mmCIF file with all atom_site columns, all heavy atoms in Angstrom:
data_model
loop_
_atom_site.group_PDB
_atom_site.id
_atom_site.type_symbol
_atom_site.label_atom_id
_atom_site.label_alt_id
_atom_site.label_comp_id
_atom_site.label_asym_id
_atom_site.label_entity_id
_atom_site.label_seq_id
_atom_site.pdbx_PDB_ins_code
_atom_site.Cartn_x
_atom_site.Cartn_y
_atom_site.Cartn_z
_atom_site.occupancy
_atom_site.B_iso_or_equiv
_atom_site.pdbx_formal_charge
_atom_site.auth_seq_id
_atom_site.auth_comp_id
_atom_site.auth_asym_id
_atom_site.auth_atom_id
_atom_site.pdbx_PDB_model_num
ATOM 1  N N   . SER A 1 225 ? -19.365 17.080 -14.987 1.00 97.00 ? 340 SER A N   1
ATOM 2  C CA  . SER A 1 225 ? -19.273 18.113 -16.021 1.00 97.00 ? 340 SER A CA  1
ATOM 3  C C   . SER A 1 225 ? -19.773 17.641 -17.372 1.00 97.00 ? 340 SER A C   1
ATOM 4  O O   . SER A 1 225 ? -20.354 18.428 -18.130 1.00 97.00 ? 340 SER A O   1
ATOM 5  C CB  . SER A 1 225 ? -17.822 18.588 -16.169 1.00 97.00 ? 340 SER A CB  1
ATOM 6  O OG  . SER A 1 225 ? -17.391 19.273 -15.022 1.00 97.00 ? 340 SER A OG  1
ATOM 7  N N   . LYS A 1 226 ? -19.522 16.379 -17.730 1.00 97.00 ? 341 LYS A N   1
ATOM 8  C CA  . LYS A 1 226 ? -19.768 15.918 -19.102 1.00 97.00 ? 341 LYS A CA  1
ATOM 9  C C   . LYS A 1 226 ? -21.175 15.345 -19.247 1.00 97.00 ? 341 LYS A C   1
ATOM 10 O O   . LYS A 1 226 ? -22.049 15.970 -19.831 1.00 97.00 ? 341 LYS A O   1
ATOM 11 C CB  . LYS A 1 226 ? -18.745 14.856 -19.501 1.00 97.00 ? 341 LYS A CB  1
ATOM 12 C CG  . LYS A 1 226 ? -17.312 15.059 -19.033 1.00 97.00 ? 341 LYS A CG  1
ATOM 13 C CD  . LYS A 1 226 ? -16.673 16.325 -19.472 1.00 97.00 ? 341 LYS A CD  1
ATOM 14 C CE  . LYS A 1 226 ? -15.205 16.328 -19.087 1.00 97.00 ? 341 LYS A CE  1
ATOM 15 N NZ  . LYS A 1 226 ? -14.573 17.629 -19.061 1.00 97.00 ? 341 LYS A NZ  1
ATOM 16 N N   . ALA A 1 227 ? -21.393 14.152 -18.711 1.00 97.00 ? 342 ALA A N   1
ATOM 17 C CA  . ALA A 1 227 ? -22.687 13.488 -18.873 1.00 97.00 ? 342 ALA A CA  1
ATOM 18 C C   . ALA A 1 227 ? -23.810 14.225 -18.159 1.00 97.00 ? 342 ALA A C   1
ATOM 19 O O   . ALA A 1 227 ? -24.973 14.140 -18.553 1.00 97.00 ? 342 ALA A O   1
ATOM 20 C CB  . ALA A 1 227 ? -22.599 12.049 -18.369 1.00 97.00 ? 342 ALA A CB  1
ATOM 21 N N   . HIS A 1 228 ? -23.463 14.972 -17.098 1.00 98.00 ? 343 HIS A N   1
ATOM 22 C CA  . HIS A 1 228 ? -24.481 15.634 -16.295 1.00 98.00 ? 343 HIS A CA  1
ATOM 23 C C   . HIS A 1 228 ? -24.617 17.115 -16.632 1.00 98.00 ? 343 HIS A C   1
ATOM 24 O O   . HIS A 1 228 ? -25.484 17.798 -16.076 1.00 98.00 ? 343 HIS A O   1
ATOM 25 C CB  . HIS A 1 228 ? -24.160 15.471 -14.804 1.00 98.00 ? 343 HIS A CB  1
ATOM 26 C CG  . HIS A 1 228 ? -24.078 14.045 -14.362 1.00 98.00 ? 343 HIS A CG  1
ATOM 27 N ND1 . HIS A 1 228 ? -22.967 13.254 -14.627 1.00 98.00 ? 343 HIS A ND1 1
ATOM 28 C CD2 . HIS A 1 228 ? -24.955 13.250 -13.707 1.00 98.00 ? 343 HIS A CD2 1
ATOM 29 C CE1 . HIS A 1 228 ? -23.168 12.037 -14.142 1.00 98.00 ? 343 HIS A CE1 1
ATOM 30 N NE2 . HIS A 1 228 ? -24.365 12.009 -13.588 1.00 98.00 ? 343 HIS A NE2 1
ATOM 31 N N   . GLY A 1 229 ? -23.756 17.627 -17.504 1.00 97.00 ? 344 GLY A N   1
ATOM 32 C CA  . GLY A 1 229 ? -23.900 18.993 -17.987 1.00 97.00 ? 344 GLY A CA  1
ATOM 33 C C   . GLY A 1 229 ? -23.708 20.071 -16.950 1.00 97.00 ? 344 GLY A C   1
ATOM 34 O O   . GLY A 1 229 ? -24.347 21.116 -17.012 1.00 97.00 ? 344 GLY A O   1
ATOM 35 N N   . MET A 1 230 ? -22.805 19.859 -15.970 1.00 97.00 ? 345 MET A N   1
ATOM 36 C CA  . MET A 1 230 ? -22.653 20.814 -14.878 1.00 97.00 ? 345 MET A CA  1
ATOM 37 C C   . MET A 1 230 ? -21.244 21.409 -14.809 1.00 97.00 ? 345 MET A C   1
ATOM 38 O O   . MET A 1 230 ? -20.778 21.790 -13.733 1.00 97.00 ? 345 MET A O   1
ATOM 39 C CB  . MET A 1 230 ? -23.000 20.134 -13.546 1.00 97.00 ? 345 MET A CB  1
ATOM 40 C CG  . MET A 1 230 ? -24.442 19.681 -13.447 1.00 97.00 ? 345 MET A CG  1
ATOM 41 S SD  . MET A 1 230 ? -24.855 19.087 -11.809 1.00 97.00 ? 345 MET A SD  1
ATOM 42 C CE  . MET A 1 230 ? -24.636 20.565 -10.840 1.00 97.00 ? 345 MET A CE  1
ATOM 43 N N   . ALA A 1 231 ? -20.578 21.548 -15.936 1.00 96.00 ? 346 ALA A N   1
ATOM 44 C CA  . ALA A 1 231 ? -19.200 22.043 -15.934 1.00 96.00 ? 346 ALA A CA  1
ATOM 45 C C   . ALA A 1 231 ? -19.087 23.421 -15.289 1.00 96.00 ? 346 ALA A C   1
ATOM 46 O O   . ALA A 1 231 ? -18.115 23.713 -14.579 1.00 96.00 ? 346 ALA A O   1
ATOM 47 C CB  . ALA A 1 231 ? -18.654 22.084 -17.363 1.00 96.00 ? 346 ALA A CB  1
#
Side-chain angles (χ1 to χ4, degrees):
S340 293
K341 321 302 187 199
H343 301 77
M345 296 187 64

